[in-house]
Amino acid sequence: MSEPALGDIPAPLFRAAMHQVADLIADYLEHVGEYPVLPKIAPGDVRAQLPEKPPEQGEPLDALLGDYRRLIEPNVTHWNHPGFLAYFAITGSGPGILGEALAAGLNVNAMLWKTGPAPTELEETVTDWLRQMMGLPPQFRGHINDTASISSLLAIAAARHRVRDGDVRTRGMAGRVDLPPLTVYASEHAHSSIDKAVITLGLGHENLRKVPVDAAFRMNVAALDTAIAADRRTGRLPIAVVATAGTTSTTSVDPLVDVAKIARREKLWLHVDAAYAGAAAICPEYRQLMTGLEEADSIVVNPHKWLFTPVDCSVLLLREPDALKAAFALTPEYLKTSEGAGGATNLMDYGPQLGRRFRALKLWFVIRAFGVDGLRERIRAHCALAREFAQWVEKEPGFELCAPLPFSTVCFRAVPPGTPEEQDAFNERLLGSVNGEGPVFLSHTRLRDRFVLRLAIGNVRTAREHVAKAWELITRAARTLRAT
Ligand code: PLP
């Protein structure tokens, strides 16, 4: 009896399955709109259909692909669906998927230049393209991370490293009577990832100051000034301000020029969270709304949000990339290379992680396939659709807009007769009813303590018909709810 073959699956089998996978993906993208955006299943339904134990013997690839079609594809929330209008949409665009697939084939780990020469240099090039597209000065250098949460964490780590010239890196913070509490400032509308960054970095959640916002949900700069002064008076050490360009609830943009002035004067690191709206900075007319962005020490923008790049891909742009390197670089003997010693970029130097995925490839494909102009036109079309939707809301009796509309996200709600609490309950039921229909998925937030619906356009497949469908379902559900 011959030995069973070891090694990978046979090449012809792989090739045949890969062709099937190409068809599966292409079919999915062509027909994704026919699925309900949210699968009609309950927690535990998928798990109940999965075997408890792993197979002892290998299974045919056809069985795997069959189960994928039967069990996985129909039971995901379809982020690629044109009716996905919740949170901030993301897109697995065709070019991005091709880049992702090729990166999977290469399986390169670009921790060092030597372990990934082309991935390292493509990352440097493609993030510089993004910098140029956003109209930022040449000293900014980009670094790709998985998510904005990690990009912001790294930026605040770089700010922490500036304290007494890297003293925290060497001595840590625990039990130190000589080190005052380090404080960070962000608006009360900043994303929760800033809270998590502060917690993770050991600064203490209570040392994140949530600065109040103005009527348009932008950071109140006078309140920022007051908070910093109060902290200094009580012996705390302010280290960073996080401004947001495109807040999660309303997409408001903090007054970056004024925030930057305070940050400079107070010698604080200025990080701008432009995870969503940074993409719009590639259009000059939307860049204007973010004047002051160029004053930042660091900026995060997520191509995996509104730049049609499959998740995950987050670009951290740094005015002084060496500040990040100073916080993290450390080379053990087994990672030393002559190229590194000669000055080649080793991506492992810019954060705590060693291994890394080749994310630059998909971003390169996206930018090349659509062209900067094509990307601009798509972002403009999304903003125009959002404005049209907002007009429908404004004209409809019994509905109101709840926030200004700088980009492609509309905050609105129904205002039936009743107490504020009854109105909240009505809107919650309205959202549940619309999302239960299938063709669209919207999300919600709270503004001034009221329940508000959010319609966010950002998927490359979303067209006028999908936004119109959402409005038809919303108005119909509101009429039905009122009648009952
Ligand atoms: N910042 C903002 C403004 C966001 O809206 C979000 C997510 O929606 C994030 C950060 C977190 O993004 P990620 O999932 O890439 O960590």
Side-chain angles (χ1 to χ4, degrees):
M1 213 170 73
S2 62
E3 291 273 312
L6 298 180
D8 202 354
I9 58 170
L13 257 188
F14 175 74
R15 184 178 298 275
M18 201 63 193
H19 282 294
Q20 273 180 276
V21 167
D23 280 337
L24 276 177
I25 297 175
D27 286 346
Y28 175 66
L29 295 180
E30 232 176 289
H31 297 289
V32 62
E34 294 162 23
Y35 277 115
V37 186
L38 293 167
K40 298 200 184 295
I41 53 173
D45 283 356
V46 173
R47 186 86 197 260
Q49 296 183 66
L50 294 168
E52 259 175 49
K53 292 197 185 332
E56 217 42 68
Q57 306 300 323
E59 300 182 64
L61 295 181
D62 277 349
L64 275 61
L65 295 178
D67 282 350
Y68 164 83
R69 287 218 61 168
R70 183 179 63 83
L71 206 53
I72 306 301
E73 190 183 288
N75 291 326
V76 300
T77 294
H78 296 282
W79 287 76
N80 271 334
H81 195 297
F84 189 106
L85 304 165
Y87 312 114
F88 287 130
I90 57 173
T91 306
S93 66
I97 293 169
L98 296 175
E100 189 79 291
L102 291 168
L106 291 174
N107 193 37
V108 64
N109 185 347
M111 51 197 193
L112 306 166
W113 182 90
K114 193 182 190 78
T115 65
T120 302
E121 294 183 17
L122 187 65
E123 177 160 329
E124 290 179 312
T125 302
V126 86
T127 55
D128 193 63
W129 284 7
L130 185 62
R131 171 196 70 74
Q132 294 175 51
M133 287 156 65
M134 294 172 68
L136 291 166
Q139 64 265 39
F140 278 91
R141 289 250 314 275
H143 180 74
I144 302 186
N145 298 301
D146 54 357
T147 56
S149 304
I150 297 302
S151 293
S152 291
L153 180 125
L154 297 185
I156 298 171
R160 187 184 65 171
H161 187 75
R162 273 189 178 172
V163 174
R164 300 181 191 167
D165 259 347
D167 169 87
V168 172
R169 172 174 167 142
T170 311
R171 298 178 59 204
M173 296 199 298
R176 289 188 53 185
V177 283
D178 66 315
L179 191 67
L182 311 179
T183 52
V184 174
Y185 304 80
S187 99
E188 56 188 345
H189 274 254
H191 188 262
S192 57
S193 55
I194 307 306
D195 300 65
K196 287 195 176 182
V198 165
I199 294 167
T200 308
L201 290 168
L203 304 180
H205 203 188
E206 66 181 18
N207 294 315
L208 173 62
R209 300 281 178 261
K210 294 284 180 74
V211 181
V213 293
D214 65 15
F217 308 101
R218 299 169 304 198
M219 186 189 284
N220 177 331
V221 184
L224 170 68
D225 218 3
T226 308
I228 295 170
D231 281 334
R232 288 208 192 279
R233 269 199 308 279
T234 54
R236 290 160 194 276
L237 184 56
I239 61 165
V241 185
V242 179
T244 311
T247 55
T248 311
S249 283
T250 72
T251 74
S252 60
V253 179
D254 287 336
L256 301 178
V257 171
D258 293 338
V259 174
K261 270 189 203 145
I262 294 178
R264 291 277 158 270
R265 189 192 69 207
E266 298 287 333
K267 300 196 168 37
L268 307 184
W269 184 283
L270 174 58
H271 175 59
V272 179
D273 178 354
Y276 155 75
I282 71 170
C283 306
E285 68 274 30
Y286 294 113
R287 189 182 306 154
Q288 273 181 25
L289 305 181
M290 293 174 252
T291 303
L293 194 60
E294 65 287 352
E295 299 293 327
D297 293 295
S298 55
I299 303 163
V300 57
V301 48
N302 273 10
H304 82 217
K305 280 200 183 349
W306 201 10
L307 222 47
F308 319 126
T309 307
V311 71
D312 53 12
C313 184
S314 172
V315 176
L316 178 62
L317 292 151
L318 291 139
R319 176 183 295 281
E320 286 173 35
D322 282 354
L324 199 54
K325 212 169 157 180
F328 288 106
L330 187 155
T331 311
E333 184 56 38
Y334 44 83
L335 293 174
K336 284 187 179 147
T337 60
S338 55
E339 293 85 0
T345 299
N346 287 331
L347 292 172
M348 69 162 186
D349 288 343
Y350 295 87
Q353 70 179 92
L354 175 62
R356 51 186 9 256
R357 303 181 59 227
F358 184 11
R359 299 187 182 91
L361 191 62
K362 56 188 170 184
L363 182 54
W364 192 49
F365 272 34
V366 166
I367 297 174
R368 291 186 61 186
F370 292 116
V372 183
D373 223 35
L375 293 170
R376 281 194 200 106
E377 289 314 312
R378 283 166 174 81
I379 281 173
R380 285 182 178 130
H382 288 172
C383 294
L385 273 179
R387 282 195 299 274
E388 192 174 2
F389 181 87
Q391 282 166 7
W392 299 336
V393 174
E394 264 184 319
K395 282 197 200 128
E396 184 76 14
F399 276 86
E400 67 177 13
L401 291 175
C402 302
L405 168 61
F407 305 108
S408 67
T409 300
V410 188
C411 291
F412 66 102
R413 63 178 195 145
V415 275
T419 64
E421 290 71 28
E422 285 164 347
Q423 290 178 338
D424 281 358
F426 184 93
N427 279 284
E428 220 170 319
R429 283 200 301 276
L430 178 60
L431 181 65
S433 168
V434 170
N435 286 344
E437 296 271 349
V440 298
F441 174 34
L442 279 71
S443 57
H444 78 280
T445 189
R446 264 189 183 272
L447 296 178
R448 302 191 187 95
D449 206 27
R450 293 276 68 90
F451 189 95
V452 164
L453 308 187
R454 258 175 101 268
L455 176 134
I457 302 168
N459 187 297
V460 79
R461 297 179 185 87
T462 301
R464 191 175 184 279
E465 62 185 287
H466 307 108
V467 180
K469 183 74 187 171
W471 184 233
E472 180 199 319
L473 293 175
I474 293 163
T475 46
R476 195 202 301 157
R479 277 195 298 276
T480 310
L481 280 174
R482 281 201 178 103
T484 57

